[in-house]
Amino acid sequence: MRHDHLISAKQLSRDDIEAVLDRAAEIADDPGAVADAREDTLLGLCFFEPSTRTKMSFDTAMKRLGGDTVDMGSVESSSVKKGESLADTVRVIEGYTDAVVLRHPSEGAAKLASEFVDVPVINAGDGAGQHPTQTLLDLHTIRENAGFEDLTIGIMGDLKYGRTVHSLAHALTNFDVSQHFISPESLRLPRSVRFDLHESGAQVREHTEIEEVLETLDVLYVTRIQRERFPDENEYRQVAGQYRIDAEMLEAAKDDLTVMHPLPRVDEIAPDVDDTDHATYFEQAHNGVPVRMALLDEIL
Amino acid sequence: MTETELRVSKIENGTVIDHITGGQALNVLAILGIDGSSGEEVSVGMNVPSDRLGRKDIVKVEGRELSQNEVDVLSLIAPAATINIVRDFDVIEKHRVSRPEAVTGVLSCPNANCITTENEPVESRFEVLEEGVRCAYCDTIIRDSLAAHISVA
Ligand SMILES: [Zn+2]
């Protein structure tokens, strides 16, 4: 990959994506072959908001490549609490490590960080913005299960604040994919994402009900609707209930529908879906390690 | 000299910004950071008849020439504006504004969760789109009422 930093899925061309996914497939087949590929590499983990899984997945990936990680620790115990700027924090950590993985609650944080350091910055989620490494593992899962040819994907849930959705939607414009977005009116895609999709000439439709498209889908990507987005509990319940799937509903879907979710889920996918052939979300989560190994090996 | 121009007094040295979109004159002053407190001599004509625009605003500032950055932002709210540089009562330079590719440090991002609104050592930066501008950090697009996002020092 040509880029030093990975800030947004918008940077990724089809070739970039395919290079990482091909490498991830090789690594998944024979993890031992890369066991000391990055022996002397030290990766800085800077998580300004908690995300145990994403952090563990980067930690695991780096160690499986023979490298090591250092962890900034929780924000509560760091100098950030004393009011240090992000720009200063990353400039200090730059001196310790070969690359920085950044998770931050504000949009644009990774972009800003990348302007202050010379080591590669990998965006591991910036507010409601982008989460490009999640997108790479999502794409890997889609390719393994459904392929990218003539694909119809439904993306459902909180599309407004869902950074995984924003990244994925951008990345899918590189492929022959028609995208259907299903959400309550109040949580539809932000203007900036709709703008980019329109500019790229992507085939995009928006819906408020899953029933309108369910039977045409090859992939259904479900995201969580967060309680804190709603002023009152009742309104949340009403909305969230409409964007929940269960095994009975999926009887109307194609037999080979792939159901994905970036996890954690709360109740938007009923447990009875887990026992169907549609459930792919745990496999998707496991793909995080080989995909991040491939990415780190390419970028560092 | 048309009758319209006469309504606003001539200046000796400075800048005449003409063909401002009707109603935008005060926003133009905001971009220039002019509120009268530092004693500049300023004349403003609002909603005067114009062949080209129907109604236009006009601003004349004595003793002040504009920086490129100011002209760039001006172009966003008054795309038809012309800038006339006056010395010794003569217009020595006249040019139209053109839209820049980006503006730095003049607009503030309306996204309260954008990293540029926090205490970080960066200036805001917006890419200029065909319609509106877009934050280079968080991607937020501002399409309408750009003037409301001008951060005057
Ligand atoms: Zn912004």
Side-chain angles (χ1 to χ4, degrees), chain A residues 107, chain B residues 109-111 114-117 126 135-140:
Chain A
E107 284 98 71
Chain B
C109 187
N111 173 9
C114 176
I115 192 76
T116 63
T117 66
F126 286 81
C135 176
Y137 290 88
C138 76
D139 275 350
T140 295

Side-chain angles (χ1 to χ4, degrees), chain A residues 91-106:
Chain A
R91 275 183 288 190
V92 171
I93 292 170
E94 166 187 33
Y96 307 155
T97 62
D98 301 302
V100 170
V101 176
L102 180 72
R103 162 69 67 98
H104 197 280
S106 300

Side-chain angles (χ1 to χ4, degrees), chain B residues 55-124:
Chain B
R55 295 276 167 179
K56 66 172 185 181
D57 290 0
I58 182 166
V59 168
K60 300 189 180 192
V61 189
E62 184 72 47
R64 172 91 132 79
E65 293 182 15
L66 307 190
S67 71
Q68 190 57 47
N69 204 12
E70 288 169 330
V71 174
D72 284 349
V73 185
L74 198 68
S75 72
L76 302 179
I77 62 162
T82 48
I83 313 259
N84 304 282
I85 309 290
V86 178
R87 294 201 191 128
D88 285 333
F89 297 104
D90 280 332
V91 173
I92 59 140
E93 232 181 87
K94 184 178 186 119
H95 50 94
R96 294 189 57 171
V97 299
S98 61
R99 289 166 77 77
E101 282 181 22
V103 290
T104 301
V106 189
L107 299 169
S108 56
C109 187
N111 173 9
N113 206 37
C114 176
I115 192 76
T116 63
T117 66
E118 289 166 32
N119 188 27
E120 296 291 338
V122 287
E123 288 192 295
S124 71

Side-chain angles (χ1 to χ4, degrees), chain A residues 17 21 134-155 164 168-169 171-172 175-177 179 218-221 256 258-261 280 283-284 287 291:
Chain A
I17 293 166
L21 303 196
Q134 174 73 40
T135 292
L136 287 167
L137 74 91
D138 291 343
L139 293 171
H140 186 67
T141 311
I142 291 170
R143 187 169 82 163
E144 302 273 290
N145 286 277
F148 290 130
E149 296 308 316
D150 193 23
L151 180 78
T152 302
I153 183 170
I155 303 180
T164 62
L168 181 61
L172 285 171
F175 300 94
D176 175 25
V177 173
Q179 304 191 50
D218 304 303
V219 172
L220 175 60
Y221 191 99
D256 60 355
T258 300
V259 174
M260 296 171 62
H261 191 299
T280 317
E283 176 189 330
Q284 180 187 358
N287 285 336
V291 168

